[in-house]
Amino acid sequence: MTWTVAREPHDSPVAAALWRAYYTEVSDRWYQLHENRSTEPEELERAIAADTGEYLAPPTGALFVARWAGEPAGTAGVRLLDPATAELKRVFLYAALRGRGGAALLVAAAEDAARALGAERIVLDTRGDLVEARSLYSRLGYAETAPHNDDVYAEHWFAKKLG
């Protein structure tokens, strides 16, 4: 079995299904940790609809989909925040496929796209309970930094110079 990674329109059915899976997982994890419950269906639908991912569309963004044995398995996106800074977004793999190298391939594709957009560095934010994500970013050369945004759910911020 092998990985492939390719650009995908941010609003394709494949992207929408992966966004739903991503958001469901991170939302459920947050609610379980803080309120001992799963995300309510209305909360989930509202949040998914509120973030269309338009910022991942060209000319200042890109979304990538990883496929395992030809089946959609995960995403990573990138968008320009300013001419020198890109932001990594929506890094996700289905849990059953984690640990097989797909996330690193997705992040590398997003970093390449950021370079092609002219970015000199890439930033991201994540939460403390997303320990797998924090481990991945550290392993890929990202260093924790001061906050670059005021996202209410962000607890850790990372940056990496793009060479």
Side-chain angles (χ1 to χ4, degrees):
M1 305 255 184
T2 59
W3 288 105
T4 60
V5 175
R7 283 185 186 249
E8 182 81 22
H10 77 282
D11 56 356
S12 75
V14 167
L18 288 164
W19 168 231
R20 176 173 290 281
Y22 167 86
Y23 196 84
T24 300
E25 180 178 337
V26 298
S27 181
D28 279 350
R29 285 173 72 162
W30 191 90
Y31 279 112
Q32 287 295 335
L33 180 65
H34 296 284
E35 297 184 13
N36 199 31
R37 67 177 179 89
S38 295
T39 310
E40 296 290 334
E42 310 81 45
E43 292 169 320
L44 182 66
E45 295 308 318
R46 222 178 12 257
I48 288 171
D51 188 350
T52 65
E54 243 178 76
Y55 49 83
L56 299 175
T60 58
L63 180 70
F64 296 89
V65 166
R67 286 177 169 78
W68 175 255
E71 293 298 318
T75 63
V78 65
R79 69 173 171 177
L80 279 181
L81 296 179
D82 62 51
T85 309
E87 183 178 30
L88 187 62
K89 301 291 291 178
R90 297 191 184 189
V91 177
F92 170 75
L93 277 178
Y94 286 122
L97 295 171
R98 294 178 188 156
R100 299 180 188 192
L105 293 172
L106 280 163
V107 172
E111 290 173 353
D112 288 345
R115 284 184 200 90
L117 291 168
E120 298 169 7
R121 74 182 190 122
I122 190 166
V123 298
L124 64 94
D125 65 70
T126 192
R127 296 191 328 233
D129 63 310
L130 301 177
V131 293
E132 308 94 335
R134 291 184 10 245
S135 175
L136 171 72
Y137 302 135
S138 293
R139 193 170 65 251
L140 296 178
Y142 287 77
E144 275 207 67
T145 64
H148 65 268
N149 64 23
D150 59 0
D151 185 312
V152 65
Y153 296 107
E155 298 171 322
H156 297 270
W157 294 263
F158 289 81
K160 180 180 179 179
K161 288 188 180 189
L162 298 171

